Amino acid sequence: MKPIRTIILGAAGRDFHNFNTYFRDNDKYKVVAFTAAQIPNIENKRYPNSLTGKNYSQGIPIYSESLLPELIKSMKVDLCSLSYSDISNQKVMELAAGVQALGADFMLLGPESTQLKSKKPVIAITAVRTGAGKSQISDYVADFLTKINVKYTIVRHPMPYGNLEKQRVQIYNSPRDLDNYDTTIEEREEYEKHLNRGRIVLAGIEYSEILKEAESRSEVIIWDGGNNDFSFIKPDLQITIVDPLRENHELLYYPGLTNLMTADIVVINKENTATKAQINNAMENIKIMNPKAKIVHTNSLVKLN
C-alpha cells in the first residue's frame, strides 16, 4: 500500500513535534510539506534532514499556507494534519472544510498520539487561551517547589524562529545563554524571568532529547506551555487557566477546550478585574465540561519591580 501523502499545517513548533512523535517513523505516512501560518519568516526553509530521520533524506520543505490549494493538487496530497494552537473552533472547521473541498482528508492529533512519557513526575501549566496568565501560575508552582527543596526543570513550549538544527536542544542555565542562542524578544520574554530566579529552562525542537535532559536534572518537571496548546509531555498533574474576561472562550478555542476537559485543576484568573457574572459564567462552563476538576480562584495583580 502506498503511504498517505501528508501536509502538516502550522509550522509553529507543534507541527514539528507532531512530526517527530507520530509521523517520522510511521511508514503509513509520507510527509511532503509543512505550511507556515503562525510563525514569521519560516516559509521557504526546510525542516533539516538531521531532524527528519532515515525516511526523509532531503529534509521537508516549508511553504506559506496561502499556497495550500496549489500544494494539495501538485503534490497529490491525501491528508492535511492541523497543528495549530489558539484558533477558534469555527476557524478549525473552516480549514477542515477547505481541505476536504480540495479532496483531501483532515486530521487532528490528540494527546495520546503525541505526548511523551516521562520517568519523572510532570506538572503541566496550560490554558484555554493565550494571555490567560500561565506565567504567573508557572512562577507560583516553581516557587513552591523551591521552598520545599524539590529539584525541578522548566521545559518550555518551542518557538522555532531561527536555525532549526541549532535549536534541536537548548539548555538555558543563566541569562547569558539568551545571547548564546540568539534568542528572539518573544523567547526572552518567556525565559528571562525564570533564569533571573535561578531556574534552568529547556526548549528546542527534539523533545524526546529535551525530556531526557530534563529527567537527568530533575525530581519534577514543569511544562510551561505556550498559547493554549496541550503539553508535549504527559502530565501527572495538569493545571489549566481560564480567563473570565473573555466570556465563553474556554468553550470556543482549539485546543483550549481540550485543556479544560483534561485538567485536574482549573484556575480562574484575573478575578480582581472580572465581574461576578463573568466569574460565575466561567465556573458554570467549567462544571459542565469538567465536573471533576478542582476550581481555584486567583487575582492577576500588576506589580512594578
Side-chain angles (χ1 to χ4, degrees), residues 272-284:
N272 55 305
T273 52
T275 66
K276 185 176 181 180
Q278 289 172 322
I279 296 169
N280 288 340
N281 181 69
M283 290 180 62
E284 182 178 346

Side-chain angles (χ1 to χ4, degrees), residues 195-259:
L195 299 174
N196 287 339
R197 297 189 184 193
R199 303 168 187 158
I200 295 171
V201 177
L202 303 182
I205 297 289
E206 184 53 81
Y207 275 79
S208 61
E209 297 177 18
I210 292 166
L211 177 57
K212 289 178 182 178
E213 183 69 32
E215 288 172 336
S216 72
R217 296 167 175 263
S218 313
E219 296 174 87
V220 173
I221 294 168
I222 299 176
W223 170 262
D224 189 6
N227 285 346
N228 67 346
D229 205 353
F230 51 81
S231 176
F232 287 11
I233 308 167
K234 185 175 179 61
D236 297 280
L237 176 67
Q238 181 177 325
I239 303 171
T240 298
I241 296 90
V242 169
D243 181 354
L245 300 179
R246 289 179 278 185
E247 295 183 53
N248 297 321
H249 280 213
E250 57 269 14
L251 306 179
L252 301 175
Y253 280 78
Y254 175 82
L257 180 55
T258 302
N259 285 333

Side-chain angles (χ1 to χ4, degrees), residues 11 13-20 34 42 47 62 160 164 205:
R14 161 58 68 179
D15 56 348
F16 298 148
H17 179 70
N18 283 0
F19 171 80
N20 294 342
F34 294 97
I42 198 169
Y47 193 58
I62 304 169
L164 299 181
I205 297 289

Side-chain angles (χ1 to χ4, degrees), residues 7 43 66 69-70 83 100 110 128 143 149 157 163 167 177 199 205-206 210 264 274 277 294 300:
I7 290 179
E43 62 264 22
S66 63
E70 177 185 335
S83 299
Q100 291 175 340
V128 299
D143 285 345
N149 295 315
H157 189 280
N163 185 311
Q167 289 183 307
D177 291 320
R199 303 168 187 158
I205 297 289
E206 184 53 81
I210 292 166
D264 301 296
K294 170 71 174 178
S300 182

Side-chain angles (χ1 to χ4, degrees), residues 74-217:
S74 64
M75 293 183 163
K76 296 181 172 55
V77 170
D78 305 301
L79 172 71
C80 291
S81 178
L82 183 70
S83 299
Y84 281 23
S85 58
D86 206 38
I87 63 171
S88 69
N89 294 341
Q90 174 70 26
K91 181 63 176 179
V92 172
M93 293 313 300
E94 288 174 2
L95 288 166
V99 166
Q100 291 175 340
L102 292 165
D105 294 330
F106 186 81
M107 172 189 277
L108 293 173
L109 287 171
E112 288 299 318
S113 294
T114 60
Q115 284 182 334
L116 301 168
K117 308 300 189 296
S118 177
K119 299 175 183 177
K120 300 293 178 71
V122 176
I123 302 172
I125 314 299
T126 64
V128 299
R129 286 299 313 277
T130 188
K134 294 185 299 296
S135 296
Q136 300 163 25
I137 307 303
S138 295
D139 278 341
Y140 180 88
V141 172
D143 285 345
F144 177 78
L145 293 178
T146 299
K147 288 177 183 177
I148 62 174
N149 295 315
V150 172
K151 190 175 182 181
Y152 62 88
T153 302
I154 305 289
V155 178
R156 268 291 309 178
H157 189 280
M159 288 185 260
Y161 295 104
N163 185 311
L164 299 181
E165 289 181 284
K166 291 183 179 180
Q167 289 183 307
R168 185 184 190 111
V169 177
Q170 297 172 306
I171 303 172
Y172 296 86
N173 292 293
S174 74
R176 293 189 301 273
D177 291 320
L178 295 170
D179 294 325
N180 295 338
Y181 284 112
D182 295 321
T183 50
T184 64
I185 292 174
E186 291 88 347
E187 288 171 310
R188 285 176 180 270
E189 179 186 9
E190 298 297 339
Y191 304 168
E192 194 166 24
K193 63 180 182 291
H194 290 305
L195 299 174
N196 287 339
R197 297 189 184 193
R199 303 168 187 158
I200 295 171
V201 177
L202 303 182
I205 297 289
E206 184 53 81
Y207 275 79
S208 61
E209 297 177 18
I210 292 166
L211 177 57
K212 289 178 182 178
E213 183 69 32
E215 288 172 336
S216 72
R217 296 167 175 263

